[in-house]
Amino acid sequence: MENCIFCKIINGEIPSTKVYENDQVYAFRDINPQTPFHVLVIPKKHVSSLSETDQLNDAEIAACLRAVSRVAAEAGLSGGYRVISNCGPDACQSVPHLHFHVLGGRQMALRMA
Ligand code: 5GP
Ligand code: ZN
């Protein structure tokens, strides 16, 4: 997808700090971390958000979730972590390429929003 910053990160046009990659997903450090550990897991196929999972096959969706648990395990987040996917304007999604925030490394607040 032209002009998508996350597609540009996947193809190397924009640099990123990679933490994991396979055929279907890419995971990298968020440029503006909200917690000591803040990684974004994205499918390599461009879809704008969770509203468009019809455009991904089951293996691609599963690969995202497996990558989430893998990067958390490799980071040693034994105390737990939080996964967020902002979807659309009410959720303040700012980059229209599906992504899962993996947040951890400190105690988080009980409230979600
Ligand atoms: P959203 O607000 O769409 O849920 O999350 C987008 C995330 O992408 C934000 O946390 C923001 O810091 C991150 N982000 C935006 N541009 C870049 C970039 O060029 N590189 C990296 N590593 N993260 C980015
Ligand atoms: Zn994209």
Side-chain angles (χ1 to χ4, degrees), residues 11-23:
N11 70 27
E13 276 180 73
I14 294 175
S16 66
T17 304
K18 178 172 84 172
V19 298
Y20 177 67
E21 179 177 19
N22 67 22
D23 286 350

Side-chain angles (χ1 to χ4, degrees), residues 1-10 42-48 95-98:
M1 174 65 74
E2 266 179 61
N3 295 325
C4 169
I5 59 171
F6 285 179
C7 284
K8 288 180 177 175
I9 282 174
I10 292 164
I42 64 178
K44 287 188 171 176
K45 181 173 177 185
H46 178 93
V47 295
S48 67
V95 179
H97 181 128
L98 172 61

Side-chain angles (χ1 to χ4, degrees), residues 72 75-82 103-108:
L77 299 176
S78 55
Y81 55 94
R82 181 169 287 170
L103 301 152
R106 66 162 166 77
Q107 178 65 55
M108 273 171 271

Side-chain angles (χ1 to χ4, degrees), residues 5 7 18 21 31 41 49 51 56-58 62 64 68 74 84 88 110 112:
I5 59 171
C7 284
K18 178 172 84 172
E21 179 177 19
I31 202 167
V41 172
S49 75
S51 296
L56 296 174
N57 63 38
D58 290 355
C64 288
V68 166
E74 286 180 354
I84 293 173
L110 190 57
M112 299 276 274

